[in-house]
Amino acid sequence: MDDHARDAAGFTYVYPVVSRRAGGVSVGINLNPNNACNWRCVYCQVPSLTRGGPPPIDLAQLEHELDTMLHDIVEGDFMATRVPEAARRLNDVAFSGNGEPTMSPEFPDAVARMRGLLARYDLLGRIKVVVITNGSQMYRERVQQALGVLRDMNGEVWFKLDRAPRDGYSEVNQVQLNRQAVSRHLAAAARNCRTWLQTCMFMREGKLPDDAEIQAYLDFVSEQMANGVKLEGVLLYGLARPSMQIEAPLLAAAPGDWMQSVADRIAALGLAVRLSA
């Protein structure tokens, strides 16, 4: 059983994720408590998702919440009372909330405060730090500088790439995408921090993505690698939990053997693949 509730700790910005499958605990930081994002992915699990950016972040409150959570995990009884024995390990701290975290002007300050707390609890370099992002703000200098700080504390970027970007409308992400811009943003992310692609595959109206769509994705990834973009690999996943968007009745999980076939095709490019169907 996984506990992914954003308010599981009763906080505004910080929440724990207890995952038996992952074999550990992740501490999430939600910079979008207003459920607003600049994208609207059809598979998104955020209820009442709206278009827009995050509200101003109370950095002192965020720091207090993260301090309290890390204290409970490292020095308190959180693990003994809330976590199955097999999962009593702190895996990571992740900027993963109800919208795009890098949209927040306070994102760099939040990264800096997190770094200070990880140092206080002797966790720097001992756990992963992750930012899960759609990559749309990677052109901003403040975001790139924050990624450099993340890199120096065992950080990773999980960059959303669900389909090959074509100039114009993306049905999966409900945004206007520009292929060259996505390429630039991905290169900026990989230049400043270790970067994984994060890709969601699923059925829509009973149909899987066709071979042309998969090949276009593979060709785009190959093109980035040929251009010198260093990627750690691909996090390939399916619909583990139901969408909260209006398209939800149209979506279904892809068969496991089909997901494995896609993973094999990605691996043939020379990339590591972590499959979570």
Side-chain angles (χ1 to χ4, degrees):
M1 174 176 144
D2 293 359
D3 180 1
H4 294 269
R6 295 283 190 258
D7 59 353
F11 292 153
T12 299
Y13 301 114
V14 175
Y15 62 96
V17 176
V18 181
S19 176
R20 287 179 179 169
R21 181 178 61 186
V25 176
S26 174
V27 174
I29 298 176
N30 180 18
L31 299 184
N32 304 77
N34 60 345
N35 293 6
C37 187
N38 61 335
W39 287 23
R40 192 189 70 77
C41 302
V42 297
Y43 55 79
C44 184
Q45 297 146 0
V46 175
S48 304
L49 184 70
T50 60
R51 293 279 194 177
I57 303 301
D58 185 334
L59 288 166
Q61 180 182 345
L62 186 156
E63 185 172 13
H64 172 72
E65 292 181 4
L66 184 56
D67 187 10
T68 300
M69 178 59 61
L70 291 176
H71 179 272
D72 287 349
I73 290 172
V74 176
E75 300 176 1
D77 64 358
F78 180 88
M79 291 294 194
T81 61
R82 295 282 303 276
V83 183
E85 186 173 357
R88 289 176 185 168
R89 178 174 65 91
L90 179 59
N91 287 337
D92 61 79
V93 176
F95 285 92
S96 170
N98 292 3
E100 173 53 39
T102 62
M103 287 282 288
S104 172
E106 290 88 5
F107 174 66
D109 290 328
V111 170
R113 293 192 183 218
M114 176 188 63
R115 187 189 188 286
L117 287 170
L118 293 183
R120 181 187 305 175
Y121 288 98
D122 194 26
L123 294 171
L124 275 179
R126 298 175 58 192
I127 64 170
K128 284 197 305 184
V129 181
V130 179
V131 57
I132 300 176
T133 176
N134 60 32
S136 62
Q137 305 301 301
M138 290 297 158
Y139 67 94
R140 296 187 184 275
E141 183 64 26
R142 61 173 175 81
V143 174
Q144 294 182 30
Q145 289 177 352
L147 294 190
V149 176
L150 283 167
R151 177 193 61 227
D152 293 340
M153 51 176 164
N154 196 28
E156 294 181 354
V157 173
W158 294 2
F159 189 108
K160 184 184 298 293
L161 183 74
D162 292 321
R163 305 292 184 271
R166 300 181 177 88
D167 292 342
Y169 177 72
S170 168
E171 187 176 3
V172 172
N173 307 120
Q174 299 289 297
V175 289
Q176 296 289 332
L177 289 180
N178 176 281
R179 187 180 179 93
Q180 287 190 343
V182 173
S183 297
R184 288 196 303 270
H185 296 165
L186 179 57
R191 186 168 59 248
N192 287 283
C193 193
R194 290 184 299 153
T195 296
W196 290 77
L197 296 177
Q198 189 181 49
T199 299
C200 184
M201 293 286 179
F202 51 88
M203 297 179 70
R204 181 164 183 159
E205 297 185 79
K207 297 179 180 178
L208 292 163
D210 62 26
D211 187 71
E213 198 168 9
I214 299 300
Q215 189 59 52
Y217 171 92
L218 296 170
D219 290 345
F220 180 79
V221 174
S222 295
E223 177 186 317
Q224 307 315 301
M225 296 168 66
N227 289 339
V229 177
K230 186 179 184 302
L231 299 173
E232 299 297 314
V234 176
L235 307 171
L236 178 64
Y237 69 107
L239 295 183
R241 291 176 287 150
S243 167
M244 292 294 180
Q245 309 311 307
I246 59 173
E247 293 86 359
L250 306 177
L251 310 182
D257 56 350
W258 183 87
M259 293 288 289
Q260 184 61 59
S261 71
V262 175
D264 292 343
R265 293 176 71 177
I266 295 170
L269 301 178
L271 286 171
V273 183
R274 296 178 185 168
L275 174 59
S276 176

